[in-house]
């Protein structure tokens, strides 16, 4: 009876530990736009953005010098033409934070004359918070990936619990 309670406790500790790890993975992320270089003319923003997955709840952080600014543009057409004069939001504090509150595409460009035309612009596509992996608009892989993640986490919990039980049993044998 006592052994059964001990094993149950070990299994619960394993599952709680796993759930804590999984909750950290699912939490919102902060993306510093441009990575280490930040919001700067020398950054390849297309490459940087393609290596990121932006989810609802995440934040973008634009870090830049006083010679730059951030203009949020309202459409892809304005983005392609670098039409910063019709920005829906302009920021110039050097450390601008933008919360990603819904799925879709948002467009940002530097408001300093000529900088957008030189490539200082970025297109951000935000996916649902439950998505994992790709930021493409194809819904089928996203839902498949999500269900795979769910079943894997359940298997991991069982595996983790079993490992805790084995370690616990070995400790009891040694002492």
């Amino acid at each position: 009876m006592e052994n059964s309670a001990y094993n149950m406790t070990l299994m619960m500790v394993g599952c709680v530990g796993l759930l804590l790890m999984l909750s950290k993975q699912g939490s919102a992320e902060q993306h510093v736009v441009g990575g280490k270089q930040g919001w700067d003319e020398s950054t390849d923003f297309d490459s940087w953005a393609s290596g990121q997955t932006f989810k609802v709840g995440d934040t973008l952080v634009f870090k830049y010098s006083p010679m730059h600014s951030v203009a949020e543009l309202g459409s892809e057409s304005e983005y392609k033409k670098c039409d910063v004069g019709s920005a829906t939001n302009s920021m110039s504090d050097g450390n601008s934070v933008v919360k990603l509150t819904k799925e879709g595409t948002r467009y940002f460009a530097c408001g300093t004359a000529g900088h957008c035309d030189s490539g200082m612009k970025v297109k951000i596509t935000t996916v649902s918070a439950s998505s994992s992996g790709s930021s493409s608009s194809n819904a089928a892989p996203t839902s498949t990936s999500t269900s795979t993640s769910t079943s894997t986490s359940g298997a991991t919990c069982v595996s983790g619990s079993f490992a805790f039980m084995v370690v616990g049993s070995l400790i009891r044998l040694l002492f």
Side-chain angles (χ1 to χ4, degrees), residues 15-66:
C15 284
V16 168
L18 180 66
L19 289 173
L20 287 173
M21 287 188 321
L22 289 174
S23 69
K24 285 213 177 240
Q25 290 175 351
S27 63
E29 288 188 45
Q30 227 183 34
H31 301 273
V32 176
V33 178
K36 287 187 270 183
Q37 292 176 275
W39 188 238
D40 184 80
E41 287 176 282
S42 64
T43 304
D44 180 351
F45 293 103
D46 289 336
S47 293
W48 173 81
S50 69
Q52 308 289 316
T53 299
F54 304 100
K55 296 182 179 182
V56 172
D58 288 357
T59 54
L60 301 176
V61 179
F62 292 86
K63 295 184 179 200
Y64 50 96
S65 71

Side-chain angles (χ1 to χ4, degrees), residues 58-142:
D58 288 357
T59 54
L60 301 176
V61 179
F62 292 86
K63 295 184 179 200
Y64 50 96
S65 71
M67 68 186 297
H68 300 297
S69 65
V70 179
E72 183 167 2
L73 308 177
S75 69
E76 186 166 14
S77 172
E78 291 171 358
Y79 174 77
K80 286 180 177 178
K81 291 187 280 183
C82 286
D83 184 3
V84 295
S86 59
T88 59
N89 187 16
S90 294
M91 299 162 273
S92 59
D93 63 358
N95 191 41
S96 304
V97 178
V98 175
K99 181 119 175 143
L100 301 174
T101 58
K102 62 183 180 180
E103 293 179 48
T105 303
R106 293 173 75 175
Y107 308 93
F108 301 92
C110 182
T112 304
H115 288 195
C116 179
D117 291 317
S118 298
M120 198 169 167
K121 61 183 182 177
V122 66
K123 176 168 66 168
I124 304 294
T125 301
T126 306
V127 297
S128 73
S130 61
S131 296
S132 61
S134 174
S135 60
S136 72
S137 60
N138 186 348
T142 302

